Amino acid sequence: MAEGKIEFGKLTGKDYAMGVGFVVIAMIIAQGLVAYLIPGAPPALLGAIGAAIGVAAWFSYLRKRNG
């Protein structure tokens, strides 16, 4: 498990920008998809779903890049 460790102190501005990009794109997709599937869903729920997916994608990107 140690080989998949992410060292946040060594991340560059580009890495953080990629994280923001992942979160924004995931939030846009979640807003559209969930709002279509569940009309009337609260916006906070849509934002939380998108943010969680975006952060998970960013962590996956960082682990694969370091591995």
Side-chain angles (χ1 to χ4, degrees):
M1 279 306 241
E3 63 273 355
K5 186 175 178 181
I6 299 169
E7 297 182 25
F8 290 99
K10 293 184 178 181
L11 296 179
T12 64
K14 179 184 172 190
D15 295 325
Y16 287 109
M18 290 289 290
V20 170
F22 278 121
V23 170
V24 168
I25 289 173
M27 288 179 73
I28 291 170
I29 292 170
Q31 292 274 340
L33 183 62
V34 176
Y36 174 75
L37 294 174
I38 308 170
L45 174 66
L46 301 176
I49 291 170
I53 293 170
V55 169
W58 183 50
F59 281 175
S60 176
Y61 161 76
L62 291 175
R63 290 184 68 189
K64 285 182 181 180
R65 184 195 65 162
N66 291 341

